[in-house]
Amino acid sequence: MASEDVKTTESAVTTIVNLAEEAKLARGGVKAPSYAVLSICKSLVAGGVAGGVSRTAVAPLERLKILLQVQNPHNIKYNGTIQGLKYIWRTEGFRGLFKGNGTNCARIVPNSAVKFFSYEEASKGILWLYRQQPGNEDARLTPLLRLGAGACAGIIAMSATYPMDMVRGRLTVQTEKSPYQYRGMFHALSTVLREEGPRALYKGWLPSVIGVIPYVGLNFAVYESLKDWLIKAKPFGLVQDSDLSVTTRLACGAAAGTVGQTVAYPLDVIRRRMQMVGWKDAASIVTGDGRSKASLEYNGMVDAFRKTVRYEGFGALYKGLVPNSVKVVPSIAIAFVTYEVVKDILGVEIRISD
């Protein structure tokens, strides 16, 4: 009997130990809902910080780019990057260089947060679908798959925050001589809604979405693919212990920004011009101080392209490209690196290539 009791006791202990081990493994394999929510919040915070920091760093160039894109061709005030920045400084002072940046950050912070988060989730989803195909069980993200994930992220983020981008463009364009002054983002939103209707908040949305597909898609595809190549090839001693320095990652971001903005820039010009349509008290920079009013009536994206090229030449589609290039390269680079650094600080895993 004693022997049987011992065996029973040993069996019970073994069962308890096994159950404890299984519970431990289950806890390790299944993350609590609160952990998932915290991870999502950290990812959104990192994306938002990245957007705010990068856009504020290049705010003067962002404003000058928009002024060059929409200024009346018969009354040129801004002839280039240096002259344009000097003119803004002389006529509007230091604050003029950052006009519209508050609204821009109010837009870009949620936009960037949604964009980075959407890219990670879209990458995971696209990779999962790709691995369901026979023979692709161990596949990794390719540049083409990254391009698709980036395009999805860009469309989602652009659509979610477009009304703020629209009013930001108008706030950025107005000067001290503008016939009518928007007092801020919310005043501009309410005024546009009251005078032009809800649809006005989405003027230029189509070229924006078409432009964001190659722009954001190429940004992510080039950046991630270039990083992967550097880590695997290890050229010029740039990689130490399978990690890239901040300087190298900045260079990868700069390359990504250059490729993306060059391809998508004409659509950005058309978007800005369409956003100005219907503004009855348009800024003096658009109307040319009343000297010669440019045609601001477009029947759609194609009509805007046609009229811009007909009246101003093909080069008009690249107005503001120089300050935009000077702006985009550091802006994209800073955004990517800030995002990764903040996520590192917050302790969130950022690699999604596996």
Side-chain angles (χ1 to χ4, degrees):
M1 289 290 294
S3 177
E4 289 179 1
D5 289 342
V6 170
K7 287 181 180 179
T8 301
T9 303
E10 287 179 350
S11 176
V13 171
T14 302
T15 301
I16 292 171
V17 169
N18 288 338
L19 288 172
E21 288 296 324
E22 288 176 10
K24 183 179 179 182
L25 290 172
R27 284 197 303 273
V30 179
K31 295 176 181 176
S34 60
Y35 180 91
V37 171
L38 182 61
S39 180
I40 290 171
C41 290
K42 287 180 177 180
S43 179
L44 291 172
V45 167
V49 171
V53 170
S54 65
R55 198 50 64 98
T56 300
V58 296
L61 291 164
E62 172 70 10
R63 186 180 183 217
L64 177 60
K65 178 202 76 171
I66 296 175
L67 290 170
L68 286 168
Q69 286 178 338
V70 302
Q71 72 175 334
N72 192 303
H74 305 290
N75 184 28
I76 300 297
K77 294 181 179 179
Y78 308 93
N79 290 311
T81 305
I82 303 301
Q83 183 273 337
L85 290 173
K86 285 182 177 179
Y87 185 86
I88 294 172
W89 178 276
R90 187 173 67 253
T91 57
E92 301 181 59
F94 179 78
R95 291 184 64 183
L97 294 171
F98 290 86
K99 182 171 286 185
N101 187 56
T103 307
N104 196 22
C105 285
R107 175 193 68 91
I108 203 65
V109 168
N111 178 283
S112 184
V114 172
K115 181 172 65 179
F116 278 101
F117 178 72
S118 298
Y119 173 73
E120 291 193 1
E121 296 305 308
S123 295
K124 293 173 186 175
I126 288 174
L127 184 59
W128 181 84
L129 289 173
Y130 188 63
R131 284 176 173 174
Q132 302 309 302
Q133 306 302 316
N136 294 339
E137 291 78 9
D138 298 320
R140 297 168 63 86
L141 281 172
T142 64
L144 187 59
L145 294 179
R146 289 191 177 111
L147 182 65
C152 291
I155 292 171
I156 293 170
M158 170 66 72
S159 299
T161 59
Y162 191 80
M164 298 181 74
D165 179 71
M166 191 271 185
V167 298
R168 189 266 302 199
R170 292 195 176 185
L171 282 167
T172 302
V173 164
Q174 73 179 13
T175 65
E176 299 301 324
K177 296 181 180 179
S178 298
Y180 183 83
Q181 294 285 322
Y182 293 127
R183 296 192 295 271
M185 179 181 65
F186 293 108
H187 180 247
L189 279 169
S190 61
T191 303
V192 172
L193 274 172
R194 184 177 65 254
E195 296 184 354
E196 302 174 48
R199 291 184 62 184
L201 294 175
Y202 281 88
K203 283 178 178 177
W205 177 83
L206 182 58
S208 298
V209 168
I210 295 174
V212 87
I213 291 173
Y215 179 63
V216 178
L218 285 170
N219 279 344
F220 278 109
V222 172
Y223 180 73
E224 294 289 347
S225 299
L226 191 54
K227 280 202 318 176
D228 278 358
W229 176 76
L230 288 172
I231 289 172
K232 290 174 183 176
K234 301 185 188 311
F236 316 117
L238 293 174
V239 182
Q240 300 293 330
D241 300 323
S242 297
D243 194 19
L244 298 177
S245 67
V246 171
T247 304
T248 304
R249 281 184 283 174
L250 281 170
C252 291
T258 301
V259 173
Q261 68 99 27
T262 301
V263 172
Y265 193 77
L267 286 157
D268 188 54
V269 172
I270 296 304
R271 168 180 65 139
R272 288 293 172 211
R273 294 193 169 201
M274 291 180 70
Q275 287 176 347
M276 302 302 148
V277 175
W279 188 3
K280 66 182 181 65
D281 291 306
S284 58
I285 191 64
V286 179
T287 61
D289 291 323
R291 297 180 190 179
S292 179
K293 211 166 196 174
S295 174
L296 287 174
E297 295 302 321
Y298 303 124
N299 296 322
M301 182 181 70
V302 175
D303 185 52
F305 265 110
R306 182 173 56 81
K307 287 180 178 176
T308 298
V309 173
R310 175 189 291 178
Y311 298 124
E312 300 175 56
F314 185 78
L317 295 175
Y318 286 90
K319 280 185 174 179
L321 180 63
V322 173
N324 193 61
S325 298
V326 176
K327 170 198 73 109
V328 162
V329 171
S331 177
I332 296 297
I334 292 169
F336 276 121
V337 175
T338 302
Y339 178 68
E340 294 191 350
V341 169
V342 173
K343 289 199 78 173
D344 258 351
I345 293 171
L346 295 176
V348 183
E349 177 61 37
I350 61 177
R351 297 292 297 172
I352 55 178
S353 301
D354 296 334

